[in-house]
Amino acid sequence: MTDVPALDVLLPRAPLTPVRLEPRDDEAELVDLLARARPEGRGDVMVRANMIATLDGAATGPDDVTGSINGPADLRVFRALRTVADVVLVGAGTVRQERYRGIDLPAALEETRRAHGRAEPPRLAVVTRRGDVPDELLGTDLPPLVVTVASSPRLGELRDRIGAESVLVAGDGDGDGPVDLGLALGLLGDLGLTDVLTEGGPALLAGLLQRGLVDELFLTWSPTIVGGPAPRVLAGAPWLAPPVDATLVHLLHADGVLLGRWRLHATA
């Protein structure tokens, strides 16, 4: 792992006692840091969001994907968070843009995952009102869960293709109504998928935050400025009233990249 940077723990830290998380194949120290106990009083399902932004607030680069603004430090946290997630919840637009093909972990991280009591690999769940999921993803060895609505024009096709048990109907969607995200999380919880990691996109994160459904936000600041009309990490959300307050849990650093973990205080 010669190209992978160490991570400095800036907060919290004892005075004059630097803490460094050197890269390891199993990332046991980093996973332990990220897998601490959930906040109290938040129910059975815990939702954590992992996003990245440039210094000028762009959630993607000019190519409309995150690959042009992230790097090795962000990838370390990205993989470690997946290691302790039961399910990765992603909007269909992000699945298409970022070309998701399932959730694969390196073998060493799979061992760390088992050490944290998770025998099964993390599932991918795609949120889509219309049921639009790339054929390449549906054809994988472990197809995703599809979270959709009863009025989805592809509901029957999806059930035939990946099995009715893999299609979660969260709301009726009448009048172009969206997926009921609260119901969706309940359905995932019923399957035993209680540690939910969402990787966006910005529209899905906005929907979750509007409903007070996010427990923690992991936000990476990429030391670059891109300009342009790129979306923020929230897209399409009205003003949150009142705003969602956050408490800093820790702040990591590597080569100018800052990686913050924030505990959110839901207002809904």
Side-chain angles (χ1 to χ4, degrees):
M1 302 181 71
T2 56
D3 296 329
V4 179
L7 294 174
D8 299 313
V9 182
L10 302 183
L11 291 170
R13 59 181 287 185
L16 305 178
T17 306
V19 177
R20 301 204 88 194
L21 299 176
E22 297 292 344
R24 295 171 40 164
D25 288 338
D26 64 5
E27 289 290 23
E29 290 179 304
L30 179 57
V31 170
D32 285 346
L33 178 70
L34 302 183
R36 287 178 180 165
R38 69 182 63 204
E40 294 181 3
R42 302 290 275 176
D44 292 334
V45 177
M46 182 180 185
V47 179
R48 311 206 291 178
N50 186 31
M51 302 292 285
I52 186 171
T54 63
L55 294 182
D56 56 328
T60 71
D63 53 0
D64 296 324
V65 297
T66 59
S68 56
I69 62 172
N70 64 16
D74 178 63
L75 183 60
R76 283 190 68 186
V77 171
F78 176 86
R79 285 177 170 169
L81 285 172
R82 285 184 165 191
T83 300
V84 288
D86 294 323
V87 60
V88 178
L89 186 70
V90 189
T94 294
V95 164
R96 291 189 292 269
Q97 281 184 291
E98 302 282 352
R99 299 183 180 181
Y100 276 64
R101 293 295 180 268
I103 307 297
D104 294 321
L105 294 174
L109 285 180
E110 290 179 353
E111 289 292 332
T112 301
R113 180 176 174 81
R114 285 190 283 272
H116 279 262
R118 290 170 167 82
E120 300 296 326
R123 295 295 305 270
L124 175 64
V126 181
V127 179
T128 166
R129 194 191 71 80
R130 291 187 53 80
D132 293 331
V133 182
D135 285 341
E136 299 87 349
L137 189 55
L138 294 175
T140 58
D141 292 338
L142 183 63
L145 299 168
V146 178
V147 184
T148 188
V149 294
S151 60
S152 166
R154 295 191 64 189
L155 184 61
E157 175 189 345
L158 286 167
R159 284 171 167 164
D160 290 341
R161 181 93 181 260
I162 62 175
E165 69 282 356
S166 294
V167 181
L168 308 183
V169 177
D172 53 32
D174 288 347
D176 292 332
V179 171
D180 183 331
L181 295 174
L183 177 57
L185 294 177
L187 294 172
L188 292 172
D190 291 342
L191 295 176
L193 307 175
T194 58
D195 286 298
V196 180
L197 172 66
T198 181
E199 297 171 353
L204 175 59
L205 179 57
L208 290 165
L209 275 170
Q210 282 178 260
R211 293 159 180 80
L213 298 173
V214 182
D215 296 282
E216 290 189 336
L217 172 64
F218 291 78
L219 180 61
T220 297
W221 291 273
S222 173
T224 187
I225 297 172
V226 298
R232 296 160 57 192
V233 295
L234 296 187
W239 290 101
L240 300 178
V244 177
D245 293 327
T247 300
L248 182 63
V249 178
H250 63 231
L251 183 63
L252 311 180
H253 165 263
D255 300 327
V257 178
L258 293 174
L259 305 104
R261 176 183 183 178
W262 301 86
R263 185 157 297 145
L264 304 186
H265 307 288
T267 57

